[in-house]
Amino acid sequence: MSGLRVAGRGRKARRTFRHGAGNGLETGRQIRFTFDGKSYLGHPGDTLASALLANGVRLLGRSFKYHRPRGLLSAGPEEPNALVELRQGAAREPNTRATIAEIFDGLVASSQNRWPGLALDVLGINGFFSPVFTAGFYYKTFMWPASFWEKVYEPLIRRAAGLGRAADAADPDRYEKITAFCDVLVVGAGPAGLSAALAAAESGVQVILCEQDALPGGRLRGERTLIDGRPGWMWAQDAHRRLAGMTNVRIMTRSCVFARYDGGTYGVLERVFDHLPAPREGQPRQRMWRVVAEHCVVATGGIERPIVFPNNDRPGIMLAASVRTYLHRFGVIPGHRAVVYTNNSDGLRTVADLHHAGVRVVAIVEAGTSTAAQDLARQTGAVLFSGATIANTFGRLGVTAAVIRDAHGREHRVGCDLIAVSGGWSPDIALTTHQGARPVYRDDLAAFVPAQGAGGSDLHVVGVAAGVMTDRGAFESGLRAGYLTSGADGSGKMRLPDVNDAAYDITPVWQGPGTGNLPRAGKAFVDFQNDVTARDIRLAAQEGFQSVEHLKRYTTLCMATDQGKTANVNALAMLADITGRSVSETGTTLIRPPVQPVALGALAGAHRGRHFRPFRLPPTHRWAEEQGAVFAENGLWLRAQWYPRPGETHWLETVNREVETVRNRVGFCDVSTLGKIDLQGPDVRVFLDRLYVNGWQKLPVGRARYGLMLREDGFVFDDGTTARLGENHYVMTTTTAKAASVMQHLEFCHQCLWPELDVQFISVTDEWAQIAVAGPNSRDVMRQIVDPDFDLSNAAFGFMAAADVTVCGGLRARLFRLSFSGELAYEIAVPARYGDALARRLMQAGAPYGIAPYGTEALGVMRIEKGHPAGAELNGQTTAHDLGMGRLLSGRKDFIGRRMADRAALRDPARPTLVGLKPLRVDAPLVCGAHLLPKGAAATAASDQGWIASSAWSPTVGSWIGLGFLQNGPARLGDVVAVHNPLAGTVTEAVVVSPVFVDPQGERLHG
Amino acid sequence: MRLTCPHCGSRGLEEFSYRGDATVQRPALEAPEEDWVAYVYLRDNPCGAHRELWYHGAGCRAWLVVERDTLTHVVHNVRAVCREETP
């Protein structure tokens, strides 16, 4: 079982990996946590990565495709390897970077993408099949036979290659969203960001400072830099404290500015309680900020690159600056025998720092030749290899040796358990490219920097992010930007701290010579998270994928959750090398938001479950609930569908009873959901004339009229009634569904087309509760409601009458004699707050007349019985002619849609036109959506002549009935057509009839 | 994205809805059918400066003419459609 031995355990007694205090640690306290079931101790301030490293755990995960053992590459958010699952059960969170996950007492973490365990992973065998997984493998290997893709290849790949497991249950935590405004948003609390924030804040402007880390300081936490003679992190802490004491500054830590959007809008993810076992009562786990800022100072620093060489992915091979971070911030020694491999002066700091911490540096491998390296070698006793590379490494679950190829091509095998690598710094420019600004390549830095003025005049990039590589430069650029954004002239006040400075030199070496050519030496990884190797890049280039965009998609380079933060520039430089172009000519892909992964839960915020789409409740909702109503969603509205009574066993029984109640006695229904628009002004009449197809010149005060609206393309838009309440006062109703769009349409017509019309209007949908009272007894009921001085007789208040009245002893109300049901009916509107009371009063007053409430289902049955078109008929594809309302189109005026409606094809009588349908067998249901065919015709598209739009069982007719559209419909009354339901595979027969099934003469509603 | 409504000031995108080209003019009733077809259906898709109609539905309900660069997303000017003068 030797294969199961985990690094850090075994032959020798456990060595200590914690060497000192660490400037970010609270060493006085200990925290217990588990990783893969084993319990460990750490300190407050530790990340999962630093705590595991302190416990000698180097192996943290398996790679995506090849299941290679992986450890920590970095100490920050750019980490590609150490992805872990945190927490358990419903709170389980996959693919979390161990380098930013702060430990807390009781944290349960586990590795992912391995089976059965980290040290022995059966699928590590994928490495032997690696030819299968090379560049473009998705496109090549699994192409045939096609039927194998879904059943064989994809499940296989999904299981073999993968990341963590999502939780199986709903997320128990809360997330929330918030918007904030400021003058200056500073991104990053390193030396440049803190300087900018201080300068801006001292000028008095509103400042928000966001730092993705839990602590301020940035690189100052990971270096031994002295500022004004004290450790740099102390300066950062002081600056932070000063800012925290200012009322015009909001400091947000654990807050990643993940996107810049148009108009100075930024997305910020605040990890409010990720660092504790559970959010505090009433607090969210994470908070999504939208920050609107006049200016933004980007002080995001840089990301160190690795160098590409064979087997450069073993646990123990880490970025040099990250090694320094573990040393200084966390007091952790990442190894005891170190090799430092660097192509730049910054990487050499690691030699001195490791030596200072008591780590033996056995070799310095530098790409160039520098006197600084010679001095360091002398001081530390390390062997110096100048102009050299690392040609290979060994160690199955962690590095044990490096093969160094010196300037003369000779190879030296050196035993080590840590290789600190620095391939130079890439400015973290993600935020500056979100709006499409292309960065430019600087040869002297061997890196992309934001172009001058990139992203707009409100964006100020400072420090390393701007390619300013010295500490002094970071302070200077930060202060300058801070003063600039606040509009203050700070040039006189600018005081730079005293800082020991060093120039940054880089010899642009991206990979060991021949790395991409020598597959037998071992895989040389460029993109660690997606397992893209130097050979993949060479192969892609050979196969013609030489544009960076093609290369990226073909190899999946930079397409993992880390967006290739450590991989991108190396890959571009290698592609440039292969294709004989410069890096500038090769170009770079743009970085899209988010800068760091953002959980969907945080994007959703509180908008989940019922809150995703809140209900609108009609004024009588609570009363309807008391009545035991069954509700249905109607757009956003929740409406009573029917009101079951004790003993009723089926909804149809209830609906039939409600229909019969209205047809024979009296019923009422809340119709407040219909859109209501109040229009006033001398030109309303002209306005209505242009909105509706029919004429409005002759509508007298006190009357209502049905109106039909078209869209400008000639198809029906909406319908409703409009009543004239006064000389210059009208109230329009719209359908429930179109209430908002009709309002917008009216605004458009008035403001954009006819601003000369003297018209004012406003939506009053929510202001009025409107209840339809329908049935032969409705006048008797209304007499109990409307105050007695108002004459309700048919002669005084006939069909389509409208009036301002008072009800229930003086309450102002509007009364309309409108009927959707076809019965003698009224619609009464009262201020919305009286809707509930009105329903209760109607129940009381109507009891002697047999009143009952009815729901939307009975409403629908009765409107089908009367042939009134509704949603299924007004579906945006039907014309006035189709609805049998062609004669409404006025020829004497301009109105919206008139010209387009007049096109010959839209007037063609062969278009499917509204008809009624009755099955030959009354109890044979008609199904909405069924096709209408000539009797006996084959069920093919060629013989299709129309469709059924609405259908219902009509207790009044004693049959199923339907409304449909049929070619030449009105000329075919009495014909029998075939009704084909392709879903059920049935063909039934129906007779074509007039769409008005009940009271075709309309005698009842005039009664 | 934000628009500076002449009545309400700087507001977020979610308060507005987009309609499209503000340069098209509704033809006279008797204009040739081609004019009507062009008005109803045909739109240019310019790369660069464009005049667009936006509706401030969650604000003052004004229809706005927004001069916007479709390439850079820079908003040059916003004015209420029914007013000639720039606020």
Side-chain angles (χ1 to χ4, degrees):
Chain A
M1 293 302 283
S2 63
L4 280 170
R5 192 180 298 140
V6 178
R9 256 182 15 199
R11 291 181 298 270
K12 285 178 225 162
R14 185 183 291 238
R15 299 178 72 170
T16 174
F17 291 87
R18 191 79 81 172
H19 81 101
N23 64 54
L25 281 192
E26 217 184 289
T27 42
R29 279 205 297 140
Q30 284 198 317
I31 283 177
R32 188 164 286 283
F33 67 100
T34 70
F35 179 66
D36 280 349
K38 196 167 180 304
S39 180
Y40 298 97
L41 287 172
H43 297 294
D46 259 327
T47 61
L48 182 61
S50 69
L52 286 171
L53 212 52
N55 282 282
V57 179
R58 292 205 293 176
L59 177 60
L60 268 75
R62 288 276 175 170
S63 76
F64 179 63
K65 274 198 294 193
Y66 303 125
H67 288 247
R68 306 246 312 185
R70 291 281 167 83
L72 295 160
L73 180 70
S74 73
E78 69 271 32
E79 177 61 33
N81 286 339
L83 301 185
V84 294
E85 288 177 358
L86 297 183
R87 297 182 165 88
Q88 289 173 298
R92 186 172 71 208
E93 191 183 1
N95 309 332
T96 310
R97 290 149 293 167
T99 49
I100 65 161
E102 295 168 63
I103 59 166
F104 50 80
D105 217 25
L107 171 68
V108 176
S110 53
S111 60
Q112 52 190 41
N113 197 29
R114 84 292 189 257
W115 187 86
L118 252 189
L120 175 68
D121 174 13
V122 169
L123 289 165
I125 202 166
N126 274 6
F128 297 108
F129 293 120
S130 60
V132 165
F133 286 105
T134 53
F137 75 98
Y138 263 99
Y139 310 109
K140 291 183 211 160
T141 315
F142 303 108
M143 288 309 288
W144 53 265
S147 61
F148 268 38
W149 176 250
E150 256 181 66
K151 291 198 180 79
V152 182
Y153 295 140
E154 199 179 2
L156 191 79
I157 295 169
R158 289 272 170 236
R159 197 175 53 195
L163 296 170
R165 303 163 302 154
D168 302 318
D171 191 335
D173 292 323
R174 289 179 44 206
Y175 300 84
E176 63 182 33
K177 295 187 191 182
I178 187 168
T179 301
F181 299 83
C182 63
D183 297 306
V184 184
L185 170 67
V186 180
V187 188
L194 287 168
S195 302
L198 281 168
E202 277 164 8
S203 314
V205 299
Q206 295 293 320
V207 176
I208 295 180
L209 170 63
C210 289
E211 169 54 55
Q212 60 88 26
D213 205 335
L215 296 173
R219 279 306 307 157
L220 295 177
R221 293 261 165 204
E223 308 290 3
R224 291 190 294 153
T225 312
L226 293 180
I227 296 171
D228 290 338
R230 296 165 66 216
W233 63 270
M234 286 187 175
W235 177 89
Q237 230 159 31
D238 289 349
H240 185 254
R241 206 169 295 132
R242 268 175 67 200
L243 287 165
M246 299 168 92
T247 52
N248 57 331
V249 179
R250 178 196 289 276
I251 303 178
M252 294 166 58
T253 52
R254 301 187 178 95
S255 299
C256 173
V257 179
F258 65 83
R260 171 173 152 93
Y261 302 107
D262 288 325
T265 308
Y266 300 82
V268 183
L269 182 71
E270 182 187 10
R271 293 175 288 119
V272 189
F273 277 102
D274 276 2
H275 61 295
L276 292 175
R280 221 177 23 236
E281 181 66 28
Q283 288 288 310
R285 169 87 175 274
Q286 297 179 344
R287 189 179 285 129
M288 177 69 70
W289 290 76
R290 181 168 53 172
V291 175
V292 180
E294 291 290 319
H295 291 275
C296 178
V297 177
V298 177
T300 43
I303 296 168
E304 197 173 23
R305 300 185 293 259
I307 298 176
V308 180
F309 54 86
N311 294 310
N312 60 340
D313 65 327
R314 297 190 195 281
I317 304 179
M318 295 171 66
L319 292 170
S322 300
V323 168
R324 303 198 297 274
T325 298
Y326 286 116
L327 285 175
H328 304 312
R329 175 172 177 174
F330 299 108
V332 176
I333 302 172
H336 292 95
R337 270 176 75 86
V339 170
V340 175
Y341 181 19
T342 178
N343 68 357
N344 65 84
S345 56
D346 189 68
L348 287 173
R349 292 190 192 202
T350 322
V351 178
D353 287 11
L354 281 169
H355 182 72
H356 183 257
V359 177
R360 187 167 164 222
V361 181
V362 289
I364 304 171
V365 184
E366 63 165 346
T369 306
S370 67
T371 52
Q374 286 159 12
D375 293 344
L376 277 170
R378 221 174 8 253
Q379 286 159 25
T380 62
V383 184
L384 173 65
F385 297 91
S386 291
T389 58
I390 291 184
N392 205 350
T393 69
F394 294 94
R396 203 173 70 79
L397 297 177
V399 66
T400 55
V403 176
I404 299 167
R405 185 180 290 125
D406 66 21
H408 310 290
R410 281 192 301 268
E411 294 193 345
H412 309 261
R413 184 171 167 138
V414 177
C416 60
D417 61 357
L418 171 67
I419 303 179
V421 182
S422 177
W425 287 88
S426 295
D428 186 354
I429 55 174
L431 280 179
T432 70
T433 71
H434 282 176
Q435 278 143 315
R438 296 226 162 247
V440 292
Y441 188 74
R442 260 178 66 181
D443 285 312
D444 61 328
L445 299 180
F448 284 94
V449 297
Q452 199 67 39
S457 58
D458 59 332
L459 200 64
H460 314 267
V461 193
V462 298
V464 175
V468 177
M469 306 305 284
T470 61
D471 292 324
R472 193 185 163 78
F475 285 110
E476 196 177 357
S477 63
L479 284 171
R480 191 179 299 122
Y483 286 123
L484 187 72
T485 54
S486 58
D489 176 21
S491 47
K493 292 189 279 181
M494 197 145 90
R495 193 198 77 84
L496 287 177
D498 180 27
V499 56
N500 51 338
D501 225 345
Y504 173 75
D505 298 306
I506 181 165
T507 309
V509 166
W510 316 100
Q511 57 175 331
T515 298
N517 289 330
L518 301 168
R520 289 175 62 193
K523 291 185 178 60
F525 288 90
V526 183
D527 182 326
F528 289 78
Q529 195 173 119
N530 261 355
D531 271 355
V532 180
T533 65
R535 188 161 170 269
D536 291 329
I537 291 175
R538 177 162 293 277
L539 194 64
Q542 278 168 2
E543 293 182 4
F545 297 92
Q546 299 191 350
S547 135
V548 285
E549 300 287 353
H550 290 158
L551 173 75
K552 176 178 159 174
R553 281 155 186 84
Y554 194 56
T555 60
T556 71
L557 177 86
C558 303
M559 288 170 76
T561 60
D562 67 341
Q563 290 189 315
K565 286 186 172 60
T566 55
N568 187 40
V569 177
N570 280 345
L572 297 176
M574 292 165 71
L575 179 67
D577 201 29
I578 294 164
T579 56
R581 295 173 292 185
S582 69
V583 180
S584 283
E585 286 164 349
T586 306
T588 181
T589 56
L590 292 178
I591 306 157
R592 280 185 293 228
V595 166
Q596 291 187 33
V598 176
L600 289 175
L603 291 170
H607 296 197
R608 53 191 278 200
R610 196 49 255 162
H611 300 293
F612 179 66
R613 225 171 66 120
F615 285 130
R616 288 178 83 179
L617 301 178
T620 59
H621 180 78
R622 194 188 299 173
W623 169 83
E625 271 184 333
E626 289 169 19
Q627 301 296 308
V630 173
F631 296 94
E633 289 183 45
N634 203 233
L636 289 177
W637 291 100
L638 195 62
R639 297 184 73 182
Q641 209 172 2
W642 55 79
Y643 295 81
R645 281 190 174 170
E648 290 174 347
T649 56
H650 190 271
W651 65 267
L652 189 57
E653 193 183 348
T654 305
V655 172
N656 287 344
R657 191 249 312 145
E658 290 177 4
V659 171
E660 283 160 5
T661 303
V662 174
R663 295 267 179 246
N664 299 311
R665 288 179 292 280
V666 58
F668 71 98
C669 178
D670 188 335
V671 294
S672 308
T673 62
L674 294 175
K676 303 183 251 337
I677 300 171
D678 198 288
L679 302 101
Q680 302 193 29
D683 292 332
V684 173
R685 209 159 44 148
V686 179
F687 192 45
L688 293 175
D689 247 354
R690 296 181 189 177
L691 293 169
Y692 284 119
V693 303
N694 43 327
W696 293 81
Q697 291 299 323
K698 292 178 185 152
L699 183 72
V701 174
R703 302 289 295 176
R705 177 170 289 175
Y706 175 82
L708 187 70
M709 280 185 201
L710 306 185
R711 300 186 308 230
E712 198 70 279
D713 67 359
F715 289 84
V716 171
F717 175 39
D718 199 54
D719 72 345
T721 56
T722 292
R724 188 174 184 187
L725 294 176
E727 181 59 29
N728 293 327
H729 185 194
Y730 293 73
V731 59
M732 172 188 284
T733 62
T734 75
T735 61
T736 299
K738 291 277 168 54
S741 38
V742 169
M743 184 66 192
Q744 180 172 346
H745 176 65
L746 261 58
E747 298 280 17
F748 173 80
C749 291
H750 182 224
Q751 295 177 37
C752 302
L753 301 182
W754 309 303
E756 71 281 6
L757 294 184
D758 188 355
V759 178
Q760 297 293 327
F761 49 90
I762 192 163
S763 166
V764 292
T765 306
D766 291 326
E767 276 66 27
W768 293 91
Q770 194 149 323
I771 292 181
V773 183
N777 297 343
S778 59
R779 184 179 291 120
D780 297 326
V781 176
M782 292 318 291
R783 285 205 168 108
Q784 316 294 313
I785 300 292
V786 177
D787 289 341
D789 54 341
F790 189 79
D791 186 356
L792 276 172
S793 71
N794 200 35
F797 197 73
F799 181 57
M800 294 306 257
D804 283 314
V805 298
T806 58
V807 298
C808 306
L811 175 65
R812 72 193 170 99
R814 288 171 178 175
L815 188 66
F816 310 92
R817 182 122 172 240
L818 302 173
S819 177
F820 202 43
S821 58
E823 299 298 326
L824 168 67
Y826 299 84
E827 284 185 19
I828 180 164
V830 293
R833 62 188 180 281
Y834 293 105
D836 182 272
L838 180 61
R840 293 172 202 275
R841 187 67 70 92
L842 279 166
M843 282 295 271
Q844 242 170 28
Y849 305 96
I851 203 166
Y854 63 99
T856 53
E857 198 64 32
L859 183 87
V861 171
M862 289 187 280
R863 72 98 189 164
I864 295 171
E865 289 178 339
K866 288 298 292 180
H868 293 313
E873 291 78 33
L874 308 176
N875 67 353
Q877 298 174 321
T878 52
T879 67
H881 294 284
D882 298 345
L883 294 167
M885 292 194 263
R887 72 201 140 67
L888 276 185
L889 302 173
S890 166
R892 290 198 298 271
K893 56 163 188 162
D894 186 10
F895 58 84
I896 296 288
R898 175 168 170 185
R899 267 309 286 276
M900 292 287 99
D902 203 33
R903 285 175 288 176
L906 295 191
R907 287 185 281 109
D908 187 347
R911 278 180 65 85
T913 305
L914 189 72
V915 292
L917 294 154
K918 248 163 87 172
L920 292 187
R921 266 186 41 219
V922 295
D923 59 346
L926 293 172
V927 178
C928 295
H931 294 261
L932 303 177
L933 311 167
K935 203 177 150 186
T940 63
S943 45
D944 196 1
Q945 292 190 330
W947 69 94
I948 293 180
S950 304
S951 69
W953 167 260
S954 165
T956 318
V957 181
S959 168
W960 276 86
I961 58 170
L963 296 177
F965 292 88
L966 180 66
Q967 288 179 7
N968 289 309
R972 293 169 66 180
L973 300 189
D975 283 8
V976 173
V977 293
V979 179
H980 173 49
N981 175 2
L983 291 178
T986 57
V987 178
T988 56
E989 291 183 339
V991 61
V992 181
V993 296
S994 152
V996 187
F997 293 89
V998 172
D999 186 25
Q1001 265 65 53
E1003 285 160 4
R1004 296 187 188 185
L1005 47 80
H1006 287 102
Chain B
M1 176 175 171
R2 296 180 72 76
L3 290 174
T4 303
C5 172
H7 306 123
C8 311
S10 172
R11 298 297 180 102
L13 176 65
E14 67 284 356
E15 293 190 8
F16 300 89
S17 46
Y18 175 76
R19 180 179 174 105
D21 195 340
T23 63
V24 292
Q25 292 289 321
R26 188 171 189 265
L29 182 60
E30 55 282 350
E33 189 168 86
E34 302 86 80
D35 292 5
W36 274 96
V37 168
Y39 170 66
V40 172
Y41 295 109
L42 303 181
R43 293 292 182 274
D44 289 332
N45 183 19
C47 175
H50 193 36
R51 286 174 64 211
E52 302 167 335
L53 280 174
W54 290 75
Y55 178 56
H56 197 186
C60 60
R61 309 199 324 265
W63 279 92
L64 307 171
V65 177
V66 176
E67 290 178 31
R68 196 177 69 98
D69 192 306
T70 60
L71 188 64
T72 63
H73 299 186
V74 173
V75 175
H76 295 295
N77 185 259
V78 183
R79 64 175 177 83
V81 69
C82 50
R83 298 199 195 286
E84 285 303 313
E85 75 274 19
T86 310

